[in-house]
Amino acid sequence: SQIYVACRNGRVDQALSLGFLLCWIAGDLTNFVGCYLTNQLPIQIVTAIFYVNMDIIMISQFVYYKLKNQKMTKCKVFQ
């Protein structure tokens, strides 16, 4: 639901920091590696992969809206 709300608002770059998102994906990546190396149940591995994918989407949104909002700000300055 956070991804949907961020798309609607177009302001994900103001709601979250890149450092927070990078720490978040680091935690989910280590969770996935731990699940894989310790031969956890398949559902745990699939869940870890799901969370890593959601993190990648959130970081992609952050970068996209950051660049888009910077471009819009530069356009407003020149008007």
Side-chain angles (χ1 to χ4, degrees):
S1 83
Q2 173 121 13
I3 294 171
Y4 173 74
V5 171
C7 280
R8 272 190 40 212
N9 294 345
R11 292 290 181 183
V12 73
D13 60 318
Q14 293 178 354
L16 298 170
S17 73
L18 185 59
F20 174 74
L21 291 173
L22 293 176
C23 286
W24 203 348
I25 196 169
D28 287 337
L29 280 171
T30 56
N31 178 41
F32 167 70
V33 170
C35 286
Y36 182 76
L37 291 177
T38 57
N39 297 321
Q40 297 296 312
L41 294 172
I43 189 69
Q44 291 171 304
I45 294 172
V46 169
T47 303
I49 291 169
F50 173 78
Y51 283 126
V52 170
N53 286 327
M54 291 300 105
D55 294 344
I56 291 169
I57 291 170
M58 291 287 288
I59 291 170
S60 300
Q61 272 188 332
F62 178 88
V63 171
Y64 172 77
Y65 284 114
K66 185 78 166 178
L67 293 174
K68 181 180 174 185
N69 291 337
Q70 282 179 350
K71 187 176 181 181
M72 289 176 63
T73 303
K74 287 180 183 178
C75 289
K76 287 180 183 179
V77 170
F78 291 119
Q79 289 181 353

